[in-house]
């Protein structure tokens, strides 16, 4: 028994030590000395981009998500194809869909002028995601910083790890669990769909084949998204009520069968997500609290730190 207790104590201490090491890899004040204006530069650029086009806030938030879910938050989503690297931009979930690369280029250029090769592209994505949410009326949070940029990308991982819009609830839970995120995290992070647009090709199946879609909404969508083909790149707002405001209307819509994507409506379809979705629909503060916590957690997926990566001079290519 004494030996067992000793093993337990040692295991617990090791777990605590590992946790401390992981948490020490990133910090909210990482650039305070090396690039003190970094966060202000990113915030200003994001606000300018969102003021010119409100949809850009959702696009920058999505870039961070699509980065973190593929080999961790390492800026790999930004890499262009080369003879040596096949990037992720042409993966099925990303092609003709991901946006905001030019905004990131502009931010990187300003940061290189202010403090050469100090702020990573992966950190730019994390901060820009936060600033985009804030610019559209959503919550703020302290972004943990210190990520390094990866030196490779994975088209296969982008095709396989990003949950498709046809996902059922069980598929969504598994996709997020595979990244260390809980079902509760998944439901909170899905609230990012309170802003942004989806392409017709991603909701055509739901529009014409599913019965739990509000009839009025369906009627309004069909002219720009015909069946069986046409208008693939035409878009519709994920939240038709307040398309460019970060609020809890996404969840309110789900209670009225107004989820645009199949995967959206899965959060309120008689399953285990119903209770949390219903709670968020009436408690925006509660949603905001959970969203900010889940974003910090997501931002820590598979991070590369220290000498494990590099700080790219150009976010589109390795140094």
């Amino acid at each position: 028994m004494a030996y067992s207790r000793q093993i337990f104590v040692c295991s617990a201490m090791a777990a605590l030590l590992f946790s401390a090491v992981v948490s020490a890899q990133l910090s909210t004040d990482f650039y305070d000395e090396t690039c003190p204006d970094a966060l202000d530069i990113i915030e200003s650029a994001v606000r300018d981009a969102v003021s010119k086009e409100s949809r850009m806030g959702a696009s920058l938030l999505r870039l961070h998500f699509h980065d973190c879910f593929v080999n961790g938050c390492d800026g790999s989503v930004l890499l262009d194809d080369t003879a040596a690297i096949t990037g992720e931009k042409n993966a099925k979930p990303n092609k003709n869909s991901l946006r905001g690369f030019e905004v990131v280029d502009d931010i990187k250029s300003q940061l290189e002028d202010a403090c050469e090769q100090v702020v990573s592209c992966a950190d730019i994505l994390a901060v820009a995601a936060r600033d985009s949410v804030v610019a559209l009326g959503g919550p703020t949070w302290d972004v943990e910083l210190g990520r390094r940029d990866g030196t490779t990308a994975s088209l296969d991982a982008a095709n396989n790890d990003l949950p498709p819009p046809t996902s059922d609830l069980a598929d969504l839970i598994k996709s997020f669990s595979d990244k260390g995120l809980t079902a509760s995290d998944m439901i909170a992070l899905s609230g990012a769909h309170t802003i942004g647009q989806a392409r017709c090709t991603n909701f055509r199946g739901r529009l014409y084949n599913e019965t739990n879609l509000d009839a009025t909404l369906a009627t309004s969508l069909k002219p720009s998204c015909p069946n069986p083909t046409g208008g693939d790149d035409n878009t519709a707002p994920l939240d038709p009520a307040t398309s460019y405001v970060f609020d809890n209307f996404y969840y309110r819509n789900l209670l009225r069968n107004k989820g645009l994507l199949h995967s959206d409506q899965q959060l309120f379809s008689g399953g285990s997500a119903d209770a949390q979705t219903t709670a968020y629909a009436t408690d925006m503060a509660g949603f905001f609290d959970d969203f900010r916590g889940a974003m910090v957690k997501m931002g820590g997926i598979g991070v590369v730190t220290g000498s494990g990566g590099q700080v790219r001079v150009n976010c589109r290519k390795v140094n």
Side-chain angles (χ1 to χ4, degrees), residues 148-307:
R148 288 293 187 261
D149 298 320
T151 56
T152 188
S154 176
L155 182 70
D156 288 342
N159 279 321
N160 293 319
D161 291 2
L162 291 163
T166 54
S167 297
D168 290 331
L169 181 59
D171 300 322
L172 292 169
I173 292 172
K174 184 181 186 304
S175 292
F176 281 70
S177 176
D178 288 346
K179 303 301 176 183
L181 299 168
T182 66
S184 180
D185 294 329
M186 180 274 291
I187 298 166
L189 289 169
S190 295
H193 283 185
T194 194
I195 53 176
Q197 309 268 326
R199 295 161 65 225
C200 160
T201 188
N202 288 325
F203 60 81
R204 179 183 283 116
R206 171 157 166 73
L207 183 57
Y208 291 97
N209 301 321
E210 299 183 16
T211 59
N212 63 339
L213 176 62
D214 177 81
T216 301
L217 177 60
T219 299
S220 71
L221 293 170
K222 286 180 178 179
S224 62
C225 189
N227 191 42
T229 59
D232 283 4
D233 291 329
N234 291 339
T235 61
L238 290 159
D239 168 11
T242 54
S243 305
Y244 300 114
V245 179
F246 197 98
D247 54 24
N248 66 336
F249 270 78
Y250 168 77
Y251 301 101
R252 296 192 195 185
N253 294 335
L254 297 183
L255 269 57
R256 297 173 174 83
N257 285 336
K258 292 185 177 181
L260 182 62
L261 305 178
H262 175 82
S263 55
D264 288 329
Q265 197 59 53
Q266 286 290 293
L267 301 190
F268 190 76
S269 59
S272 59
D274 284 15
Q276 188 172 340
T277 296
T278 302
Y280 287 162
T282 57
D283 181 11
M284 188 161 71
F287 160 51
F288 279 7
D289 284 343
D290 290 350
F291 182 81
R292 59 166 61 96
M295 284 296 293
V296 171
K297 191 173 178 181
M298 186 186 79
I301 296 174
V303 295
V304 179
T305 58
S307 59

Side-chain angles (χ1 to χ4, degrees), residues 62-63 65-67 70 76-78 87-99 101 154-155 157-159 162 199 202:
R62 189 164 180 252
L63 272 179
F65 170 72
H66 280 228
D67 182 36
V70 181
S76 62
V77 73
L78 302 172
E88 299 161 15
K89 292 179 178 178
N90 287 316
K92 187 176 180 180
N94 297 338
K95 189 175 182 180
N96 299 323
S97 178
L98 280 187
R99 308 168 70 247
F101 298 109
S154 176
L155 182 70
N159 279 321
L162 291 163
R199 295 161 65 225
N202 288 325

